[in-house]
Amino acid sequence: MAEKIQAVKGMNDLLPPDSAAWEWFDEAVRRVMRRHGYQFIRTPIVEPTALFVRGLGEVTDIVEKEMYSFEDSMNGDRLTLRPEGTAGVVRAVTEHNLLYEGGKRLWYAGPMFRHERPQKGRYRQFHQVGAEVMGHAGPDVDAELILLLRALWRELGLVVGEGDGAYLRLELNSLGEVAERQAHRAALVAHFEAHASLLDEDARRRLHSNPLRILDTKNPAMQPVVEAAPKLIDFLGEASLAHFNAVRAVLDAAGLPYRVNPRLVRGMDYYNLTVFEWVTERLGAQGTVCGGGRYDGLVEQLGGKPAPGVGFGIGVERLMLLLAEAGLLPAPPAPDAYAVVTEAGALPQVLVALDALRAAGVSVLLHPLGAGGPASMKSQFKKADASGARFALIFGADEIARGQVALKPLRAGADAAAAQALKPLAGIADWAGELLPA
Ligand code: ATP
Ligand code: MG
C-alpha cells in the first residue's frame, strides 16, 4: 500500500457531523448581517506580502513570525497566505474605488493562516467571520458593530454579560489619536526605562520600537510593572474622549455591560480610538473570541484616499468550542424521508419521484442500490431508522405497478403502522407538504 498523506499540522479538516454546526453558524451570520445592512465581500486568500507588512506594521507578532510567505516560483513575486481579513478588504475597497459613492458596510468569512504553535483554540489555518465599515468616522458605527455582535451571540443562544450564567463579556478601550499616543508613549518609555531591570527580553526589544505592545505581555512576572504604567486614557484629548463616551452611551442605553480595559491594545498597529474584544473565561488561554476596533489611518497607509474604517474579526473555531461547551450546538439535521427501494428496474420512476419531492422542498435520502441490487427490506429499514428521517417512502413492486408509493411514519408512536398510507406518484406536489416538518 502507498504511504498515507496527512494534513499539514495545525490545519484541520471539517467533517460531518461537526460541519452541520458550522452551516448552522453560517446561516445565523447571514441573517444577522442582512438585518444590519452589511454586504458580502470575498477577497483572495493570497495577497502581496507587502500588503500585510505595511498594513499590520513590521513589529507585530503576525509580521515578525506568523506569516506564511513564499515566492511565486513562476515570477518571483513575494506572496503571503492572508493572516487576517482587514488588509485585503481595505486593498479591494481602494482598488475598486468602492467608497466613491459614500461609506460601505461589508462582511467576509474565510480561512486565515498563521504559523503559531497549534493548541486548543489556536491553529495554523483557522477561520474568521468579520465586518468592516469604511468611510464613516462617527461613533455610531463603532457602537453598531458591537450591538451587531451581541445580536449574533443572542441568535446563537449565548448569554452575554457578567456573572455565572454568562458566556461572553465585552472589553472596551480607546487608543486615542496619533499625537495622544505619542505623548503617552513618551511617558511609557520613561516609566519602563526607570524600571528596566524588571523587563523581559521581549519587552526590552520593544521598548523603543513598540512600547505599547509591552502592555499586551502575557508574562506574569511583568504584570506589576505593566499595571503601574501610565494609562493612555489619561492622555486622550477632548475629541477622542467624546468619541469614546458616545460609544459608551449607546452601550449603556442598550443595556450592554462592558469593562473598560486600559491594557487592551490589540495586536495590530493600525488601530485608533475604539478597540474592543469579546472574551470568555471558559476556553483557557485562548479566551478572545472576537476582536475589533477603528483604523482611521489604514486606508491612507495602504495607498488609498484617506478614509476612516472600523471592524471586527471573530475566531470561528473558538466560538464553536464555546458553543459546544455551552451545549448550544444543534443536532445535525435529519432528512424528512428515507427512500426504500426493492426493485432495481423501478429506478427511473423512483428517482423522478424523489426529484419532484425535492423540488417541493422535502429532503429525501435514497438507499443506495449498490452493484448487487437492492438490499433486504430489513437492512434498508435499519438505515432508514438510523438516518433520523420521520418517514420511509417504500417503492415496492406492487406499489410501483399501481403508480403509488407507500408512506410509513417512522417516529409517530404506537399507531404508526395504522398511519401508513399509499400515495399517487402522479401529482406528488399535492401531498409532498405532508412530509415537511410542522
Ligand atoms: P491571540 O491574542 O489569541 O493570538 P490575536 O489578537 O492574534 O489573538 P486577532 O488578530 O485579533 O487575534 O484575530 C481575531 C480573532 O481570531 C481572535 O480573537 C481569535 O478568536 C481568532 N484567532 C486569532 N489567531 C487564531 C489562531 N491561530 N487560531 C484560531 N483562532 C485565532
Ligand atoms: Mg495572535
Side-chain angles (χ1 to χ4, degrees):
M1 273 226 293
E3 196 187 329
K4 275 193 204 143
I5 297 173
Q6 297 197 317
V8 176
K9 187 177 171 205
M11 305 201 181
N12 301 311
D13 299 305
L14 175 63
L15 306 171
D18 299 346
S19 53
W22 282 65
E23 291 185 284
W24 165 79
F25 169 71
D26 285 347
E27 282 158 21
V29 168
R30 255 165 236 285
R31 283 195 301 274
V32 169
M33 293 299 178
R34 197 166 299 134
R35 293 207 295 259
H36 288 76
Y38 285 61
Q39 297 172 293
F40 182 68
I41 182 171
R42 188 179 63 204
T43 63
I45 287 169
V46 177
E47 295 274 6
T49 302
L51 175 68
F52 303 112
V53 175
R54 242 206 283 161
L56 308 185
E58 306 242 13
V59 197
T60 54
D61 282 349
I62 294 179
V63 172
E64 274 185 335
K65 54 190 184 203
E66 295 175 359
M67 293 206 301
Y68 280 92
S69 297
F70 56 98
E71 192 173 286
D72 184 329
S73 60
M74 302 295 165
N75 60 12
D77 287 353
R78 296 294 307 163
L79 303 175
T80 294
L81 298 184
R82 66 181 181 197
E84 56 92 58
T86 303
V89 170
V90 168
R91 180 204 47 72
V93 162
T94 303
E95 187 169 330
H96 304 288
N97 226 347
L98 283 194
L99 299 183
Y100 182 69
E101 289 174 337
K104 279 273 178 295
R105 290 173 162 88
L106 304 168
W107 74 277
Y108 62 84
M112 306 294 162
F113 302 83
R114 298 184 191 178
H115 203 284
E116 306 196 67
R117 191 169 67 77
Q119 54 199 290
K120 185 180 170 197
R122 194 177 292 284
Y123 313 98
R124 291 180 174 173
Q125 174 175 330
F126 63 100
H127 296 77
Q128 287 188 344
V129 163
E132 313 290 352
V133 181
M134 301 190 57
H136 297 302
D140 52 324
V141 286
D142 307 24
E144 175 180 276
L145 283 167
I146 294 171
L147 291 182
L148 179 156
L149 286 161
R150 178 174 70 169
L152 177 60
W153 311 143
R154 282 180 168 168
E155 190 89 5
L156 299 169
L158 281 170
V159 179
V160 171
E162 306 276 347
D164 284 352
Y167 279 86
L168 275 175
R169 119 182 109 68
L170 177 63
E171 300 208 340
L172 193 66
N173 191 21
S174 174
L175 300 182
E177 300 292 1
V178 174
E180 295 153 5
R181 281 208 298 278
Q182 275 167 356
H184 172 245
R185 180 189 158 119
L188 206 58
V189 172
H191 168 80
F192 285 130
E193 275 175 341
H195 301 93
S197 61
L198 301 175
L199 303 184
D200 63 16
E201 194 196 310
D202 221 32
R204 265 198 292 271
R205 193 167 48 84
R206 286 191 160 137
L207 182 52
H208 294 283
S209 61
N210 197 347
L212 202 62
R213 290 295 316 287
I214 299 177
L215 300 176
D216 211 13
T217 179
K218 280 162 187 150
N219 181 353
M222 281 193 36
Q223 295 311 310
V225 67
V226 160
E227 210 67 66
K231 296 199 176 9
L232 175 56
I233 201 144
D234 298 323
F235 291 76
L236 295 189
E238 219 172 292
S240 294
L241 271 180
H243 189 104
F244 193 39
N245 289 333
V247 174
R248 297 179 61 171
V250 175
L251 304 183
D252 292 338
L256 173 52
Y258 57 87
R259 288 188 203 170
V260 174
N261 177 357
R263 293 181 47 196
L264 181 62
V265 295
R266 311 272 309 121
M268 269 72 98
D269 282 0
Y270 53 57
Y271 288 109
N272 70 315
L273 292 174
T274 316
V275 287
F276 61 86
E277 284 187 352
W278 289 89
V279 297
T280 179
E281 313 293 338
R282 303 179 193 239
L283 296 180
Q286 274 60 251
T288 306
V289 168
C290 171
R294 191 161 267 288
Y295 49 86
D296 294 334
L298 182 60
V299 179
E300 190 177 11
Q301 198 172 311
L302 290 176
K305 214 165 104 235
V310 54
F312 65 73
I314 299 171
V316 182
E317 281 83 358
R318 290 187 195 177
L319 185 61
M320 287 304 186
L321 286 169
L322 184 62
L323 287 163
E325 166 99 14
L328 290 168
L329 295 183
D336 297 314
Y338 192 98
V340 169
V341 183
T342 61
E343 303 302 309
L347 219 45
Q349 289 107 301
V350 171
L351 282 174
V352 167
L354 299 194
D355 206 39
L357 282 166
R358 288 162 176 160
V362 178
S363 95
V364 194
L365 204 55
L366 168 64
H367 190 94
L369 190 59
S376 72
M377 283 283 260
K378 190 173 165 214
S379 82
Q380 292 200 43
F381 267 104
K382 226 168 129 184
K383 289 281 189 195
D385 257 328
S387 77
R390 279 172 291 108
F391 295 94
L393 290 163
I394 306 153
F395 293 90
D398 295 350
E399 287 90 350
I400 300 269
R402 279 185 251 122
Q404 292 176 325
V405 57
L407 183 63
K408 180 175 166 14
L410 292 174
R411 333 238 143 232
D415 59 347
Q420 184 157 336
L422 289 168
K423 300 286 186 188
L425 290 177
I428 279 182
D430 298 337
W431 54 270
E434 291 174 32
L435 301 186
L436 293 172

